[in-house]
Each structure stands twice: as C-alpha cells, then as structure tokens.
C-alpha cells in the first residue's frame, strides 16, 4: 500500500508538472519541446528512485504497468491539447480530424526515445534527439 501510494503520488506529480508546461502561452513548437524535456527530466528522476528500490519495483511491476497505462492516456490527451492549440493559433497544418493519430504518433515517438536515453546517459543526448524529432515533425523530411 505504501509503495502504491508513492507511485501514484509520483505519477500525479509528473502529470501536474506537465500540465503547467502545456498551459504556457508560447509557440506550439516551444511547448512541445518544453513538454518533452520536462517529461524526460521527471521520468528520469522517478527512474532513479526505482533503481534504489529495484527489487520492490520488480515485485510490483503489474501495479506500475497499470499506473503507466493511466499516464499514457494522460499523455495522449495532453498532446492533443497542444496540437489543438497549434491548430487554433494557425501554427501547424493538420486538421482536427488528424489530431488523434498525430497525438498517438508523437506519444510513441517521445516514448521511443526513453530507453536509448536511459541507456546512453549522456548529458544532452535527449535534447539532441528531441531536436531531430521535432525538426522532422515541424519541417518534414522532404526538401521543398
């Protein structure tokens, strides 16, 4: 019960901190970058805590997976809010019909960077990888 309470508290803290980033009055591109950077920082802090209690982490893995699913739902909603704000401000060219698919793709891309970053442990590795991902997202791959 104590472990569950700690994990839930940490998850709620992450979500509250990310909501602050989303509510910023800034360009959509900056909000995405700040969201991903803050997300990584917060998750890294939690991961460091779980390294301390690694045995308990493995024992309670199903609980953590359940809470992770709740967080994943939150992340999709958060990314949708950023996208909708970008559409409203005429900063991105997707339609509202595409928001669900783009939010899911972004969540998968950001989440996909987690493992390589945690393994790499180099200081600005995440920010460099994030810059590449955001450049592709905002500018595409094709020459124009």
């Amino acid at each position: 019960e104590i472990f569950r309470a700690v994990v839930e508290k940490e998850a709620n803290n992450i979500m509250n901190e990310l909501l602050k980033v989303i509510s910023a009055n800034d360009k959509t591109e900056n909000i995405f970058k700040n969201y991903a950077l803050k997300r990584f920082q917060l998750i890294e802090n939690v991961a460091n805590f779980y390294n301390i209690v690694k045995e308990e982490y493995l024992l309670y893995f199903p609980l953590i997976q359940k809470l992770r699913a709740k967080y994943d739902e939150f992340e999709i909603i958060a990314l949708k809010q950023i996208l909708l704000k970008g559409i409203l401000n005429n900063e991105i060219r997707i339609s509202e019909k595409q928001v669900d698919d783009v939010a899911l793709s972004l969540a998968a891309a950001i989440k996909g960077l987690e493992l390589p970053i945690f393994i790499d442990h180099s200081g600005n590795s995440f920010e460099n990888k994030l810059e590449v991902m955001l450049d592709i997202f905002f500018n595409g791959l094709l020459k124009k």
Side-chain angles (χ1 to χ4, degrees), residues 87-132:
I87 291 169
L88 183 66
N89 293 336
N90 202 29
E91 294 178 287
I92 55 178
R93 59 181 167 89
I94 65 168
S95 70
E96 286 189 36
K97 290 180 183 179
Q98 297 172 303
V99 167
D100 289 344
D101 292 336
V102 174
L104 184 62
S105 297
L106 280 170
I110 293 170
K111 193 174 184 178
L113 290 176
E114 284 178 9
L115 188 57
I117 300 307
F118 286 126
I119 291 171
D120 189 4
H121 289 298
S122 59
N124 64 358
S125 177
F126 179 73
E127 192 161 354
N128 292 339
K129 288 174 176 59
L130 178 64
E131 290 286 344
V132 170

Side-chain angles (χ1 to χ4, degrees), residues 2 6 8 15 17-18 23 39 42 45 57 62 69 75 86 88 91 98 104 106-107 109-110 126 134 139:
I2 293 171
V6 169
E8 285 178 345
M15 290 185 277
E17 289 297 315
L18 292 174
S23 64
R39 176 191 184 281
L42 293 166
N45 290 341
Y57 178 82
E75 183 152 65
L88 183 66
E91 294 178 287
Q98 297 172 303
L104 184 62
L106 280 170
I110 293 170
F126 179 73
L134 289 177
N139 301 310

Side-chain angles (χ1 to χ4, degrees), residues 43-107:
I43 289 175
E44 185 177 42
N45 290 341
V46 172
N48 288 336
F49 167 74
Y50 290 134
N51 279 334
I52 295 168
V53 290
K54 190 179 267 182
E55 288 180 28
E56 287 83 1
Y57 178 82
L58 295 174
L59 286 172
Y60 297 108
F61 189 72
L63 168 67
I64 293 167
Q65 285 296 93
K66 184 178 176 182
L67 291 170
R68 180 68 192 234
K70 179 182 172 186
Y71 173 79
D72 289 346
E73 288 177 30
F74 162 82
E75 183 152 65
I76 297 294
I77 292 168
L79 292 170
K80 285 180 188 180
Q81 288 177 347
I82 297 170
L83 290 168
L84 290 169
K85 191 176 192 180
I87 291 169
L88 183 66
N89 293 336
N90 202 29
E91 294 178 287
I92 55 178
R93 59 181 167 89
I94 65 168
S95 70
E96 286 189 36
K97 290 180 183 179
Q98 297 172 303
V99 167
D100 289 344
D101 292 336
V102 174
L104 184 62
S105 297
L106 280 170

